[in-house]
Amino acid sequence: MGMVDFWRKPARAATSRVTASDLFGEGFQAKLESLAIVSRRVFAGRMRAERRSKKKGSGVEFADYREYAPGDDFRFVDWNVYQRFGRLLVRLYEEEEDLSIYFIVDCSASMGFGDGRKFDQARRLAAALAYVGLANLDRVAIIGVSDEVVAQVPSARGKGRIFKLLQFLENLETGGATSLADAVATVVAQHKRRGLAVLVSDLYDPAGFERGINVLRYAKFEPYVVHIVDRKDARPALRGDVHLYDCETGDEREVTVTDALLTRMESAYRDHLADIERFCAKSQVPYFAADVDTPFDELVLRVFRRGGFLR
Amino acid sequence: MHFALLSPGALVALFSGVALLTAFLYVLKLRRRPFAVPFSPIWQRVLRDKDASQLFSRLKGLLSLLLQLVLVALLVLSLGDPRPAAGAAEGRSVVVLVDTSASMQATDVLPTRLDGAKAKVEELVQGLGVADRMLIAKMDASVLPLTTMTSEPADLRDGLRHLVATDTRGDLRRALAFAGDALRGAPHPEIVVVSDGALDTENATAGLDLSSTPIRFVPVGKSGKNVAITGFSVRRYPLDASRYEVLLEITNTNDAPADVELTLFGDGNIVDVSRLSLKPNERLPRVYGDLGGASRTLEAKIRLPSGPDDLPADDHAYALMPERRRARVEVVTRGNTYLEAALLLDEYLDVTTVAPSAYRPDGAFDVTIFDGVAPEPPAHGGALYLSLPGAGSAAPGAPGRAERSGPVKVGRALTDFGFDTWDRKSPLLRFMAVENVQIARGHVLVPEKGDHVVGASVAGPILVSGRREGRAFVALGFDPRESDLVLRVAWPLFVLNVIHTFAEEDASYLSAYRTGVPWKIPVTGDGAVAFVKDPLGIRHEVPVQDGRAALFGDRAGFYELSVGDDGQKSLFAANLTDPAESHIEPRKELKLGGKTARPVEGFHAGVRRELWVYLIAALALLSVLEWFSYHRRITV
């Protein structure tokens, strides 16, 4: 046992978790159903499988032209264009298919830091959104990641699969460092079917939160960032001479914590949140900050109202 | 600047050691409390900004160390007790004369005037300038310096603590003379008298050269309500020593009449209680005669029914009656009824009668009475010769040759004569009337040089006293039975006076001494020193000279005197009984030699000369700053 491990013990001992039965109890499941009903009201008129994918295929909605290549189906050659311009162009149509939603839940140690409220909130949000997705006949998969994929449940459809998802979420545990880029790259490699990728994380990635999101963007996924925020991370109940260490990386630093330092820390934390929001806006990635102090059902409704999750 | 406690070298060594230790402790790393954070890069960002001012942080750390070293330096400096050396010769030289006479025990200033005086002197000490020096002396019947001429407030305060009021009167002249001597040649001399003013100021400065020494006066006291016992003595009756009479004088020093309750105690028991009314400023002498019930000690206490007066010290007086010791008397006679009758009057006499043929000179008697005989060698104690033998050879009226008989020579014979001259102050003739004594026959005595003629007829001495080889004698030149003396009251008085004189049971015995004057107390036994236990129970060793112990008593009460560790102990009493000292009305000003002493000037409290006080204050202030800066994380 190293000195850092020796020091870590007291901080670990302070962690307390909500039990699984409390996490997804009957009350939670009742709320899921009401959320599904509310979501139908919000998105009334939407039909199953009417979500248009970016994938070009055999649908009925014209999308674009491209040069004819040998082997193309002659039926899609636009002869009128050939007559007018003498060029062989093939008409492309948007393929209509059912939506795949991937919930990438951060299971790193920072999510379970302190009393584990962030991880609980993340799991509840993921469960609620997954239920709404299942209720909309989308294909829903949940993947737990840290610096790698730690666990995942395959894509499933139908509300009846919700219990399997809940059980999966219940069994998830925090631990390990955060490396969203590596973990998301694995997810992308494992899931050829593109779709909506909901990243539920505190985005405490030493390598930078942008990399993980960009991996999703570059792989043609539609990223949706649900940022789990705990204000206590910005202003811990701490004074005096302390030996700080990172709960994931173990980086150490001797610090004398003063009011002035905590104020600067709060400011830096706000800057951190602003950087994330600015990046997402710039990248046209839907971003949603989920405070652990806000009830999850209220958060889910905010997600719906903000849009981007369901179309 | 000089250091009173430690040398500069010792201070440097001490500072070096403590500074090294401080620096060592300073560089020791504090074990910090571990604390986990979820995402350290944000902290790193914050601390990176802090690191930007790392130089300043280091400076702050260095400042903290420097602060600690400054604290150590201040502490070490204060341990050295630094004193400013400059200007020591420029300051004032002040002699403070604190009145400790009996009047300073007055309680009009609580708890006593002396405590009020101490407070005033303490203010003067606090107000001493950096270069001023002061000497504190107590002033009562004597003058006693309690400190040296010093600038050390601690020494002055220590001397101040030893100030105790005595039961004596204040002697201002003696005190001023002492102060003048102490200040001779000193720079900027000054005398400060701290007193209630109950002092003899008439000739206090006469003959003293204090022209260049200003005298300041610090008055003490508020009121002066007092009734005092100003006289108290007791004596036994010569012919009935079991009875006694008391002379008492009570003085009302107030301008208002006063009722007094007087209580007499004999051997600790109440003998008499009476109430007296005194007019304003009245001195009331009273004689209480034919008292009994006491054999040794007598005390008088007065109490005012309206409430206690301001000076309790003079409300209590003490007296001691002469000790009733049985005198051993040997009578060498062929038979003398008158003599035997006279000796029967005093029950405290052990009388042994022997015939002249049975006389032995080695008998241990206080007094030997030779009745018509003068054997050789004479007795060891005193001797009374009645009708010296050998005188019968000369015819009456004829000038015969003087023949030695006993201690003196017997001259010519006399007839029908009497005492034409006599020493009225002689204790031998006390209470006696001898002018009409008729003597039928007798002889003139021829005294030697040094003898004392107590009584004489026109023809020559007939009663002589003196000493021979250290032995006292009294010689009578006639046979008392040849006169009408034996028929008079004077006869037994004469015999008893002689016996009491020889036995040192003096009817003029001093029942109490007066405090504040040198005493010479007769002692019994041999020894160069005697021991006196004063009324407070303190034992003093005093010298003995010419059979008397010499001491200076300043306490009223009973004293116990002894010579040697196992010597015989005797008591004597002492009283204040000083009307002047009992007048305790405080005076607001002091007039000396026609000039009024001015109030003190130039004593400003708050200016301290002990630099360590300021160093400690600075140290405390810096410690507070350090505490504040540390806990506010300014210097960390």
Side-chain angles (χ1 to χ4, degrees), chain B residues 154-439:
Chain B
D155 293 347
L156 294 170
R157 290 193 181 95
D158 187 52
L160 209 53
R161 277 193 289 276
H162 288 88
L163 279 176
V164 179
T166 60
D167 296 329
T168 63
R169 67 184 310 175
D171 190 341
L172 181 59
R173 179 180 159 70
R174 185 193 297 261
L176 290 177
F178 163 79
D181 291 342
L183 291 172
R184 187 162 293 123
H188 308 295
E190 195 171 310
I191 298 173
V192 178
V193 178
V194 184
S195 169
D196 56 6
L199 299 166
D200 181 11
T201 57
E202 285 293 322
N203 299 308
T205 57
L208 301 178
D209 181 16
L210 298 174
S211 55
S212 60
T213 305
I215 300 175
R216 314 285 186 182
F217 178 56
V218 178
V220 181
K222 293 177 181 174
S223 63
K225 176 186 174 187
N226 190 31
V227 177
I229 299 174
T230 51
F232 186 53
S233 65
V234 59
R235 69 169 186 177
R236 294 184 189 277
Y237 287 114
L239 297 183
D240 185 2
S242 63
R243 310 293 291 178
Y244 56 91
E245 67 178 8
V246 169
L247 171 65
L248 190 76
E249 183 186 74
I250 301 176
T251 301
N252 177 17
T253 66
N254 307 313
D255 293 331
D259 291 330
V260 176
E261 183 181 284
L262 169 68
T263 307
L264 288 176
F265 296 87
D267 297 335
N269 302 312
I270 294 179
V271 174
D272 190 78
V273 178
S274 58
R275 291 181 78 99
L276 304 170
S277 293
L278 289 92
K279 297 173 184 173
N281 297 304
E282 182 185 10
R283 294 176 68 171
L284 180 64
R286 279 293 175 91
V287 176
Y288 293 84
D290 198 19
L291 295 173
S295 63
R296 196 75 182 113
T297 65
L298 204 70
E299 296 173 61
K301 285 183 182 177
I302 56 172
R303 188 180 70 86
L304 274 62
S306 58
D309 60 11
D310 290 334
L311 184 59
D314 55 9
D315 296 344
H316 195 171
Y318 309 85
L320 202 68
M321 285 186 284
E323 192 172 5
R324 298 262 36 217
R325 183 169 65 83
R326 301 188 79 85
R328 290 158 297 180
V329 179
E330 182 183 32
V331 180
V332 184
T333 180
R334 297 183 184 89
N336 189 332
T337 306
Y338 296 104
L339 182 58
E340 292 171 6
L343 293 173
L344 285 175
L345 288 177
D346 193 339
E347 58 181 316
Y348 276 82
L349 298 181
D350 284 338
V351 180
T352 303
T353 304
V354 296
S357 58
Y359 169 71
R360 296 287 183 273
D362 54 355
F365 295 98
D366 296 316
V367 182
T368 303
I369 302 175
F370 296 103
D371 181 20
V373 295
E376 290 289 342
H380 283 290
L384 169 62
Y385 293 90
L386 302 175
S387 180
L388 284 169
S393 58
R401 187 172 58 90
E403 296 179 9
R404 186 172 188 84
S405 177
V408 293
K409 293 178 179 177
V410 177
R412 64 188 176 90
L414 299 174
T415 57
D416 297 329
F417 62 97
F419 285 93
D420 297 314
T421 60
W422 62 91
D423 183 359
R424 297 176 187 276
K425 295 183 180 178
S426 171
L428 302 178
L429 301 181
R430 187 180 294 117
F431 312 125
M432 288 171 56
V434 294
E435 62 265 33
N436 295 320
V437 172
Q438 300 293 320
I439 307 167

Side-chain angles (χ1 to χ4, degrees), chain A residues 30 103 128 149 217 253 293:
Chain A
F103 290 96
V149 174
R217 288 172 60 211
R253 179 69 188 253
D293 294 323

Side-chain angles (χ1 to χ4, degrees), chain B residues 1-271:
Chain B
M1 173 80 74
H2 68 281
F3 294 94
L5 200 59
L6 294 174
S7 66
L11 288 177
V12 169
L14 184 62
F15 174 74
S16 302
V18 179
L20 278 175
L21 181 64
T22 303
F24 174 72
L25 293 175
Y26 192 82
V27 298
L28 280 181
K29 278 210 166 189
L30 184 71
R31 184 170 189 268
R32 293 166 181 260
R33 181 161 47 103
F35 188 84
V37 293
F39 191 53
S40 61
I42 301 181
W43 286 92
Q44 299 287 2
R45 188 190 305 175
V46 172
L47 296 173
R48 198 162 46 242
D49 296 340
K50 195 177 180 184
D51 288 343
S53 58
Q54 195 172 11
L55 178 61
F56 181 60
S57 299
R58 285 181 181 173
L59 281 178
K60 284 196 295 185
L62 189 62
L63 179 68
S64 177
L65 175 60
L66 285 175
L67 194 58
Q68 303 289 338
L69 292 178
V70 168
L71 292 178
V72 169
L74 288 175
L75 189 61
V76 170
L77 268 179
S78 61
L79 279 176
D81 194 5
R83 300 297 172 91
E90 304 297 328
R92 293 176 295 178
S93 303
V94 184
V95 171
V96 179
L97 301 171
V98 185
D99 189 355
T100 55
S101 62
S103 62
M104 293 299 283
Q105 300 179 44
T107 56
D108 54 329
V109 177
L110 292 176
T112 66
R113 283 183 182 176
L114 182 64
D115 293 290
K118 287 181 180 179
K120 296 279 180 70
V121 178
E122 171 64 30
E123 290 176 7
L124 298 180
V125 172
Q126 286 183 357
L128 271 182
V130 172
D132 291 345
R133 295 184 304 155
M134 180 182 279
L135 181 151
I136 297 176
K138 69 189 282 279
M139 171 182 65
D140 42 42
S142 62
V143 185
L144 181 66
L146 300 173
T147 67
T148 58
M149 186 69 80
T150 179
S151 56
E152 296 291 336
D155 293 347
L156 294 170
R157 290 193 181 95
D158 187 52
L160 209 53
R161 277 193 289 276
H162 288 88
L163 279 176
V164 179
T166 60
D167 296 329
T168 63
R169 67 184 310 175
D171 190 341
L172 181 59
R173 179 180 159 70
R174 185 193 297 261
L176 290 177
F178 163 79
D181 291 342
L183 291 172
R184 187 162 293 123
H188 308 295
E190 195 171 310
I191 298 173
V192 178
V193 178
V194 184
S195 169
D196 56 6
L199 299 166
D200 181 11
T201 57
E202 285 293 322
N203 299 308
T205 57
L208 301 178
D209 181 16
L210 298 174
S211 55
S212 60
T213 305
I215 300 175
R216 314 285 186 182
F217 178 56
V218 178
V220 181
K222 293 177 181 174
S223 63
K225 176 186 174 187
N226 190 31
V227 177
I229 299 174
T230 51
F232 186 53
S233 65
V234 59
R235 69 169 186 177
R236 294 184 189 277
Y237 287 114
L239 297 183
D240 185 2
S242 63
R243 310 293 291 178
Y244 56 91
E245 67 178 8
V246 169
L247 171 65
L248 190 76
E249 183 186 74
I250 301 176
T251 301
N252 177 17
T253 66
N254 307 313
D255 293 331
D259 291 330
V260 176
E261 183 181 284
L262 169 68
T263 307
L264 288 176
F265 296 87
D267 297 335
N269 302 312
I270 294 179
V271 174

Side-chain angles (χ1 to χ4, degrees), chain A residues 7 11 110 113 204-206 233 238-247 253-256 258 261 265 268-269, chain B residues 29-51 630 632-633 636:
Chain A
W7 280 334
S110 64
F113 181 79
Y204 287 156
D205 188 346
D233 292 350
L238 186 62
R239 287 288 187 287
D241 300 321
V242 294
H243 185 97
L244 290 184
Y245 65 92
D246 193 300
C247 68
R253 179 69 188 253
E254 287 186 348
V255 181
T256 299
T258 62
L261 186 69
M265 178 64 193
Y269 188 77
Chain B
K29 278 210 166 189
L30 184 71
R31 184 170 189 268
R32 293 166 181 260
R33 181 161 47 103
F35 188 84
V37 293
F39 191 53
S40 61
I42 301 181
W43 286 92
Q44 299 287 2
R45 188 190 305 175
V46 172
L47 296 173
R48 198 162 46 242
D49 296 340
K50 195 177 180 184
D51 288 343
Y630 179 82
R632 299 301 298 177
R633 305 296 168 191
V636 293

Side-chain angles (χ1 to χ4, degrees), chain A residues 208-220:
Chain A
F209 63 90
E210 304 93 338
R211 291 180 58 205
I213 298 172
N214 283 337
V215 169
L216 290 172
R217 288 172 60 211
Y218 299 155
K220 306 298 182 184

